Each structure stands twice: as structure tokens, then as C-alpha cells.
Amino acid sequence: MAEERVQRRLAAILAVDVVGYTRLMEQNEAGTFARLKAHRKEVMEPQIAHHQGRVFKLTGDGLLAEFGSVVEAVACAVGLQDGMAAANAASSADGRMELRIGVNLGDVMVESGDLYGDGVNLAARLQELAAPGGICVSAKVREEVARKLDVGFEDLGERLLKNIAAPVRAYALRSEATPASNSPMPVPPAGRSIVVLPFDNLSGDLEQQYFSDGIAEDIIADLSKVSGLFVIARNSAFTYRGKAAKVQDIGRELGVRFVLQGSVRKAGNRVRIAVQLIDGTTGGHLWAERYDRDLHDIFSVQDEVTREIVSTLAMKLSEGERRRIERRGTDNLEAYDCFLRGRQLQWQRTKEANQEARPLLERAIELDATFTRAYSFLACVHFLDHANQWNALPEESFQKALELAQKAVALDGDDPEAHWVLGLAELSLRHHDRAIEEARKALSLDPNFAWAHSLLGQTLYYAGRSEEAVEPLKAAMRLDPNDQDPFLHHLAMAYFGLGRYEEAAALLKRRIVRKPETDISRVLLAACYGYLDRKPEAQAAWQEALRINPTYSLEYRRNTAPYKDPADFERIVDGLRKAGIQQ
């Protein structure tokens, strides 16, 4: 009888193990086992499924998983460490678990759904090399993913590994996952990440688009306040307007598990809102509802949608979260309508739109003098006027922005936008500690607030704390991946402050592609090239900056940029001097 042929295939293998599991079991056997089961259900299994992998073996305190794509395997490894970081951030010191992860790409043998061979064994040995909370990969894995994922690698050299005949070159993966201790960086908890797409306007009137956009934006704002839920920012979500993209593609592109779609039909004093929650992994519908209501019930509909989503995701609202979500700021429908129109214009960030937004937001305040959010966004309008010098009297615009932000905080200390715009004003005044305090207050109220993360990172950089600035700036980019201007420049500043000029230059070049008219990014790029001794490129960047803005002045920047220590700005000047640039 002929011997049965062994089935083989190439596979990416991910090996996961809990650090110090035996010690944890000795300290608290029942509690440790329960936490491991919870982490498998809430973090590991959903993340592996999200990246099209499958668990083929549980190993007591760990697991082995197979992926058809090595890129997905490494992305999953990063997601697992992110998810555990988020879980640990919410746990007491004795309730935390850390993972070691190894990833290998190799030939495996298949039998009854299980996998064997050196391809599997090497993944397990690489896992043993990984640092707690870290990821270790083979040279094959590094070659495959180096230009496909935004990660870096540290060469660990050739290692002799148990039961592996030849030495193996190993690499430690450096991702953007580690949160700073004082920066509540959001990472997408597996199974608890969502994007709310712009709602379709079915009113038959293009001018009603602001209303359907406003409903979607308010649901985004509500969900953003739920701790443990990762919510993509409005600007990135709205880039999918009018695109015939599959839900699975959207989920994969944004790195989220769930997608909320909806439509709005407004006619007279009636409104019909239809919503559906979809699993971004399978495309399956999890929940759908249609609301036919009087326009005065619009706020209760938004509350119901938020509660249904939270319930479907098996989450619980704290009393503070429930209070903040239910607080709409106004019962005046005309004031709310003016606010929606003004907010939509303010988001465009142009001089013309800003001018149109101002009277609408002022009218909202006239109709309801306690409408906090109208004050916050009107403060943003004035701050944009000041920052871009769109007003003939920019200092007057700044003073109005400051007063409106202070008024908003006084009216409602639970409004995150109010704390954010007040923090912007405090940074402009070089009140760095106050700006940091306001940014952190905004993040405590809305952990998914990309612009508040950016404010925190900017302020830390200007305060001379570049190392601390990196993580909140990365968090802003993760929350708003399709609209990273000016986050790219802010993160480049932090890298510049750390002397990481190559990385800073790479980010600045990405921003220049997105925003070709930027002068400030070209000037910082020229300084980076100065330190890297790339004088021709530095000169080219500087000349292009002057072409865009012939009146650019280092002296003006020296006087207006809010550096705590003036010597930090002089580092930019020194970089330009190294490139032979004088002004």
C-alpha cells in the first residue's frame, strides 16, 4: 500500500505567549485564568479573525495562528500588542498581562487542521526572543513587510535557537504601539473599533447635506466619549462619501472592526433616519433600525443609536459617559440648525467658509445663550482667523477666541472642544502647563479626539519634551488616518527635537505631497537636510519655501512660535546654517 503523501504549504505563523504566566498563576490562579480567557475572547481571537487568520493550536498560556499573508500576520501582531496595551491601561498593576509574539514565514506540514514542522517551531522560538510586550520576526518576514507596513526593525543578529539546526537572523519589530504614561493614546481594542460613514442625504435637496452630515457627526462625537471604544475621526470617515467601497475594504483600510452606515430624509417637521451596523470583517449586518420621528425628537434618536451600538458591542456606559452623551447643549431646533450649518463650514478650514460660519454660530448663541458647543466652534472660527491672519486684526481675533473658549468651559466643563480650543489659546500665550492640562482634560472627556492628542503632542514639543510628544501625535494620526494634515508636520517637529532627522524628513515630504503650498514644512525639511549634510536638497527646499511665501521670516517665527526655551528654535536656524542658508 502506497504511503500517504504529506500535505505541505507556505504559511505565516504567529506564536503568542503570556510573560510570566506561571508566576501569575502562583499569585492568583483563578483570577489569572479568568483574565487569560477574557483576553483570548476580547483581544486575541477578534484581532486574528480581523486579519484573516485562524488559531490552530492553544498552548496553555498562549496560541499558534496561521495566516495566508505575512503582512496580515505582522499587522495582527501589532494589533494584539495594541489591544493588550489598552487592556492593561484599564487594569490595576497586579491585573496586567504582557505578551511575547514571534512571527515566521515558512513551509509547514498539515494534518487534520493542525500544522507542524520547522516553520511552526521557528515562530515559537522567535517568540521566546521577544521582549515583554514586543514582537520578534525572522529575516524572511522582515523582507516581506519592510516596505508594506509602517514599522521599523532592530537587527538582533544571528541566534542559535533550541531544536533549530542552523543559526537564525532575528529582528525585533518597532511599532507605534507603546502609549506614554501620561498620554491616553487610543489603540483599537479588538472588536471595539468603529467608523461612522457620512449619512446619505435622501431629502432630494442638496442643501440639506449639512443636516445629514450633522447627524453623523454627532453620533461620532457621542461614540468618541465611550471609554474602550476606538472611533475614527470625522474627517477620515467622510473621505468615503460617494465612494462605492466594500465595507470590508473600509474596515481594513482604517483598521476597524465595525462600520456604521445611515441615511437621513428630512421633510418639513418630520425626519426619517435609517442606520445599520455592519461587521467590517465579514460584511454581515449586526443591527439595523429605522426611526420616523418628529424633528423635535432628533436628539433622542441620536441617543438611541448610540445606546444600541454600545449594547451591540457588549459595552457599558459609565454614569459620566451617559450624562455627557445625553447633554445636547440646546433644545432650540433653530439654534441647533444654525450650529450644524456653521460647524460644517468651519470644518472646511478656508477663509471664505470661516467667514460664512461666523454669523451662523453667532445666531445660534443669540437663540440660546447657554449653547456651549456653539461657543466652542465660534472660538475655533476666531482662532483660525488669528492663526492664518485672515482678519485684518489678528490679535483681536485671538482675544475673541480666548474669551469664547473660557465662556464655553465656564458653561460646561464637560465639553471636550471647549477645553481643546482653550488649550490652543494657552499654548499661543506660552502657558505650556495650562495647555497640557486643557489637552488632557479634553482627552479625559473624549479619548478619541484626534486634535486634542495633536495639541498635547505639539505642546510637549514646544515645552522641550519631544520624547513625550511622539505618542500623542501618533495617536492623532491613527485616529484620523486619511486627514493627517497638519499632524505629519507636528510629528516631524517631535522627531526633529529628538535629532531623528531622517524620520522627520520622511514625514515632511509626505506632508508636502498632501499640502504642496506649505512653506513651514519646507523650511523644517531644509533644516533636517542641513543636519544630514544634504546641502543641495536643503537649498532646494528653502528656495521653494521662499517661492511659496516670499515674505517668510525666521525672525517672525522666532517671535511667534511658542517655544518655552528659545534655544529649541535656534536648532532649526543652526540646521539651515549648516546647509549654507542665511536670512
Side-chain angles (χ1 to χ4, degrees):
M1 184 174 178
E3 182 177 332
E4 183 176 347
R5 185 176 179 181
V6 175
Q7 181 184 353
R8 292 181 177 274
R9 64 169 175 255
L10 185 69
I13 304 298
L14 180 145
V16 179
D17 189 69
V18 175
V19 177
Y21 186 73
T22 301
R23 173 182 54 80
L24 294 172
M25 287 289 283
E26 289 175 352
Q27 294 173 350
N28 184 352
E29 184 175 279
T32 297
F33 184 67
R35 287 198 304 277
L36 177 60
K37 286 181 63 179
H39 288 323
R40 278 178 176 162
K41 181 179 179 181
E42 297 174 9
V43 178
M44 300 181 197
E45 293 172 0
Q47 191 68 235
I48 290 168
H50 177 68
H51 290 281
Q52 293 87 51
R54 74 172 184 96
V55 176
F56 65 87
K57 183 178 291 183
L58 295 177
T59 58
D61 60 331
L63 57 83
L64 292 166
E66 174 196 20
F67 297 79
S69 161
V70 68
V71 173
E72 291 290 348
V74 174
C76 179
V78 174
L80 288 173
Q81 295 294 22
D82 287 351
M84 290 301 294
N88 286 334
S91 300
S92 59
D94 59 355
R96 297 175 182 174
M97 280 188 175
E98 289 187 294
L99 304 180
R100 288 189 178 96
I101 299 178
V103 183
N104 181 46
L105 176 65
D107 186 73
V108 299
M109 297 184 293
V110 185
E111 182 179 329
S112 302
D114 205 346
L115 305 182
Y116 303 88
D118 286 345
V120 177
N121 295 338
L122 181 52
R125 298 299 173 237
L126 289 167
Q127 167 263 306
E128 294 172 355
L129 285 180
I135 301 165
C136 189
V137 305
S138 64
K140 286 183 180 179
V141 171
R142 177 186 176 276
E143 290 172 7
E144 287 294 323
V145 307
R147 291 177 296 277
K148 299 172 185 174
L149 292 175
D150 189 17
V151 295
F153 298 90
E154 178 184 353
D155 190 348
L156 301 179
E158 291 193 339
R159 299 296 186 96
L160 287 171
L161 304 177
K162 183 179 178 182
N163 296 331
I164 305 295
V168 174
R169 183 166 289 276
Y171 293 85
L173 183 143
R174 298 195 310 272
S175 74
E176 301 181 359
T178 309
S181 59
N182 289 320
S183 171
M185 177 180 175
V187 290
R192 293 181 177 177
S193 51
I194 190 170
V195 58
V196 179
L197 298 180
F199 283 14
D200 293 331
N201 169 29
L202 303 182
S203 301
D205 180 0
L206 289 177
E207 290 188 2
Q208 292 296 319
Q209 186 67 53
Y210 80 90
F211 188 80
S212 55
D213 283 355
I215 300 303
E217 286 183 47
D218 278 353
I219 292 172
I220 291 171
D222 288 346
L223 292 173
S224 293
K225 297 170 186 173
V226 180
S227 58
L229 183 62
F230 181 90
V231 185
I232 291 293
R234 177 259 190 212
N235 286 349
S236 285
F238 277 40
T239 61
Y240 291 92
R241 185 200 302 283
K243 294 183 180 179
K246 291 176 60 178
V247 166
Q248 293 96 320
D249 292 338
I250 294 172
R252 183 174 63 254
E253 289 168 10
L254 295 176
V256 297
R257 177 69 183 277
F258 299 104
V259 178
L260 186 75
Q261 295 179 323
S263 64
V264 178
R265 184 188 299 275
K266 181 170 172 274
N269 289 324
R270 300 293 298 178
V271 62
R272 173 181 292 176
I273 299 176
V275 290
Q276 53 184 352
L277 184 65
I278 304 171
D279 189 316
T281 303
T282 65
H285 288 64
L286 302 173
W287 165 76
E289 188 60 82
R290 189 176 73 179
Y291 303 88
D292 285 295
R293 300 287 180 84
D294 184 88
L295 194 57
H296 285 84
D297 292 332
I298 190 66
F299 301 132
S300 63
V301 171
Q302 293 173 9
D303 291 343
E304 288 179 42
V305 171
T306 301
R307 286 196 297 268
E308 287 289 349
I309 293 170
V310 169
S311 175
T312 302
L313 301 187
M315 303 180 73
K316 291 184 178 180
L317 293 174
S318 70
E319 188 57 38
E321 290 166 348
R322 190 182 304 278
R323 183 187 70 248
R324 289 193 292 273
I325 288 170
E326 291 177 351
R327 184 182 297 170
R328 291 292 162 190
T330 186
D331 294 323
N332 187 309
L333 282 179
E334 186 180 351
Y336 182 64
D337 188 81
C338 289
F339 169 74
L340 292 185
R341 292 174 187 267
R343 181 177 64 179
Q344 187 191 49
L345 288 163
Q346 192 271 332
W347 274 119
Q348 295 179 30
R349 306 176 199 159
T350 68
K351 180 178 180 179
E352 295 73 23
N354 228 39
Q355 289 174 341
E356 292 182 53
R358 189 183 305 113
L360 288 164
L361 294 167
E362 289 172 345
R363 177 60 179 161
I365 292 170
E366 287 176 13
L367 293 164
D368 185 347
T370 64
F371 193 179
T372 304
R373 299 177 74 195
Y375 284 97
S376 297
F377 276 86
L378 184 56
C380 293
V381 165
H382 284 291
F383 194 86
L384 277 176
D385 280 343
H386 158 72
N388 295 286
Q389 295 188 311
W390 289 338
N391 189 316
L393 300 170
E395 290 309 313
E396 181 179 299
S397 295
F398 175 80
Q399 194 58 39
K400 287 181 179 177
L402 177 60
E403 291 171 0
L404 287 162
Q406 291 171 333
K407 175 72 171 178
V409 170
L411 283 171
D412 184 1
D414 283 349
D415 182 63
E417 284 93 357
H419 288 284
W420 168 65
V421 72
L422 181 56
L424 285 174
E426 296 288 9
L427 175 58
S428 296
L429 293 168
R430 292 185 172 86
H431 298 161
H432 298 87
D433 290 343
R434 293 183 196 173
I436 290 170
E437 182 182 349
E438 294 300 332
R440 287 184 172 146
K441 179 62 176 176
L443 290 171
S444 72
L445 298 167
D446 181 352
N448 293 281
F449 195 172
W451 287 91
H453 283 282
S454 178
L455 171 63
L456 178 57
Q458 286 181 75
T459 308
L460 289 167
Y461 163 75
Y462 283 120
R465 297 158 62 179
S466 292
E467 188 169 357
E468 296 174 67
V470 170
E471 294 306 336
L473 291 168
K474 287 180 179 178
M477 295 172 66
R478 175 67 186 90
L479 284 160
D480 208 350
N482 291 345
D483 186 43
Q484 295 182 351
D485 178 51
F487 303 154
L488 288 164
H489 183 87
H490 298 159
L491 182 56
M493 291 193 308
Y495 282 149
F496 183 89
L498 292 170
R500 294 163 63 175
Y501 304 118
E502 288 280 10
E503 291 165 278
L507 290 167
L508 292 165
K509 287 188 286 186
R510 283 171 58 189
R511 192 199 182 209
I512 289 168
V513 171
R514 287 172 175 261
K515 192 178 178 68
E517 71 277 15
T518 177
D519 57 346
I520 189 172
S521 288
R522 284 184 166 84
V523 171
L524 187 58
L525 179 60
C528 289
Y529 284 150
Y531 282 107
L532 293 169
D533 198 25
R534 293 160 64 176
K535 293 182 180 179
E537 292 165 279
Q539 292 280 352
W542 175 255
Q543 291 303 320
E544 189 63 13
L546 293 182
R547 183 193 65 78
I548 292 167
N549 180 10
T551 64
Y552 183 88
S553 165
L554 287 173
E555 188 61 29
Y556 176 79
R557 288 290 299 165
R558 181 180 284 112
N559 294 331
T560 57
Y563 286 92
K564 185 174 184 178
D565 183 352
D568 289 336
F569 178 78
E570 296 308 314
R571 289 189 59 188
I572 297 175
V573 178
D574 289 342
L576 296 172
R577 288 197 186 107
K578 289 178 183 294
I581 296 168
Q582 303 285 340
Q583 190 183 48

